[in-house]
Amino acid sequence: MLEGLVFGWRTAVLLVAAVQLLAIAAALARSMVNRAANRTLAVLLVVLAAMITPWIIGFAGFYDRWPWLTFAPFQISLAVAPLFWLYAVALVTGAWPRRGALHLIPAAVQLIYLSGCFLLPLEAKWAWSDRSDLAYGVLTGSALIAGFAGYGRMSRDLISTYTAALADHVGDDHRYAPRWLRNAMIAAAILFPIWAGYSITGLFVPVSYHAYMGLYLTIAGVALFLAIEGWRHAALPFPRLADLATPAPAVSPGRDWQVQGQTWAEAIRMGGWAAEPGLTLAQTARLLGTNSSHLSRALNDGLGVNFSTFINRLRAEAVAAAMADQPGHTLLDLALAAGFSSKASFNRAFSERFGAAPSAWRARLTS
């Protein structure tokens, strides 16, 4: 049954990647938090696992052993870019956009085309493959590049908008800032035009089958990065973008926002409210007896900082003061007591506030 098949290192490496992608996809599909986003990511991971499947079985000799596998509808490349964008939208808004499924029409057409070709008799498959490969490769390659350009730009704008909104409303915005999405998007933006270039070049210039191994290893690597980061953040209750919108404050003629900002800043400092890890703009406004829009304007226009920067400066200052008063405590203990939720966010905020790493600052104090 397995005569003529060769299970070498290429098949093994890609197979391990595909199995991991499918395992994470199965786990994400059962997640009850961020359901729309996690299920979208699960579908995307299945699509990416399917993308490398022809090379898994091809390197093993499946197509030589069973030539009827020609046109098997594994590579639905036109689904990748819209699914990535739909995942980003669902992550920050809680749901797909209205008529979001329409963005998958090109992928559906690609699936129908490949499925139709797959059902042809073997001789007809080969004849059609010889006649259609060039046009199919050019069309899908061009659509792939256009899709990643368009959906990449929309994803970038969405992530930037969400990151800015987080900084204005949440003190520990780093927990929710989807930097991993931006990194995956950058990797994909580099990868997929190269991928399309490989496909189109192969239609005009003979390219060794094994020469594609580096490309598909890269595809598997990008997919695994997205899968692991998506799983790490799967249960994190992301604030919804709509909830982060701040209405414009009512016009207050003659109001000095700088003075107001300084007054409220001192009240926040004296109240020690920054020590609350999950502190938000709305909570702080309620404590001050005002509303979110006025507090946001006092910080942005009056003090020139967003909410996150302001709160994390207060926390960094609290740690700096505690270093002298509590020399026996570790930096992490002091950071957590001040309201930081992670060492990374503490190091970043402290360095921005004092121009030195926390350990270097403590060393100065002790010396």
Side-chain angles (χ1 to χ4, degrees), residues 84-282:
F84 181 91
W85 174 71
L86 288 168
Y87 169 59
V89 172
L91 192 68
V92 304
T93 68
W96 278 21
R98 186 181 180 187
R99 298 179 181 175
L102 295 179
H103 293 269
L104 296 175
I105 288 178
V109 171
Q110 186 180 28
L111 175 61
I112 292 170
Y113 169 77
L114 290 176
S115 299
C117 294
F118 178 65
L119 295 175
L120 292 173
L122 185 59
E123 294 297 329
K125 282 186 184 183
W126 286 343
W128 179 245
S129 178
D130 291 338
R131 296 209 307 255
S132 66
D133 274 357
L134 177 59
Y136 177 78
V138 171
L139 285 173
T140 55
S142 301
L144 188 67
I145 294 173
F148 269 84
Y151 287 108
R153 183 170 58 251
M154 290 192 296
S155 299
R156 179 201 63 195
D157 293 344
L158 176 65
I159 292 169
S160 297
T161 299
Y162 186 66
T163 301
L166 281 173
D168 279 333
H169 290 79
V170 182
D172 51 351
D173 58 305
H174 63 279
R175 292 182 61 204
Y176 309 103
R179 294 185 180 89
W180 84 93
L181 280 182
R182 183 179 286 111
N183 293 337
M185 184 175 61
I186 292 172
I190 297 172
L191 167 65
F192 280 92
I194 297 174
W195 179 10
Y198 259 91
S199 301
I200 295 173
T201 301
L203 299 174
F204 301 96
V205 180
V207 179
S208 167
Y209 191 78
H210 292 88
Y212 285 90
M213 183 61 183
L215 175 64
Y216 280 85
L217 277 176
T218 307
I219 293 173
V222 172
L224 283 172
F225 170 79
L226 183 60
I228 293 170
E229 288 297 322
W231 172 247
R232 285 182 60 231
H233 296 83
L236 189 63
F238 281 80
R240 302 299 180 222
L241 186 58
D243 297 333
L244 299 177
T246 303
V251 177
S252 304
R255 190 163 191 174
D256 191 327
W257 289 109
Q258 183 176 12
V259 172
Q260 184 65 80
Q262 292 169 348
T263 301
W264 282 340
E266 184 60 23
I268 295 169
R269 182 181 290 105
M270 295 301 295
W273 303 331
E276 174 59 43
L279 188 67
T280 66
L281 180 76

Side-chain angles (χ1 to χ4, degrees), residues 2-14:
L2 299 180
E3 183 179 353
L5 301 182
V6 180
F7 294 94
W9 69 270
R10 294 180 178 86
T11 295
V13 170
L14 293 177

Side-chain angles (χ1 to χ4, degrees), residues 1-7 58-66:
M1 182 68 176
L2 299 180
E3 183 179 353
L5 301 182
V6 180
F7 294 94
F59 285 128
F62 276 60
Y63 287 103
D64 296 328
R65 180 71 175 78
W66 296 289

Side-chain angles (χ1 to χ4, degrees), residues 273-290:
W273 303 331
E276 174 59 43
L279 188 67
T280 66
L281 180 76
Q283 291 171 341
T284 309
R286 285 195 296 269
L287 290 170
L288 290 169
T290 184

Side-chain angles (χ1 to χ4, degrees), residues 289-330:
T290 184
N291 57 55
S292 298
S293 57
H294 280 101
L295 177 56
S296 179
R297 184 164 182 181
L299 294 175
N300 285 274
D301 296 352
L303 303 184
V305 294
N306 58 44
F307 178 74
S308 176
T309 300
F310 170 71
I311 291 299
N312 284 307
R313 281 183 183 177
L314 293 183
R315 291 170 176 167
E317 291 167 2
V319 174
M323 285 182 189
D325 298 336
Q326 306 174 46
H329 289 68
T330 67

Side-chain angles (χ1 to χ4, degrees), residues 24-25 27-45 87 90-91 230-231 233-236:
I24 296 175
L28 287 168
R30 294 194 298 270
S31 176
M32 299 304 293
V33 182
N34 304 320
R35 292 182 66 184
N38 288 332
R39 291 182 179 184
T40 303
L41 180 57
V43 174
L44 175 56
L45 296 182
Y87 169 59
L91 192 68
W231 172 247
H233 296 83
L236 189 63

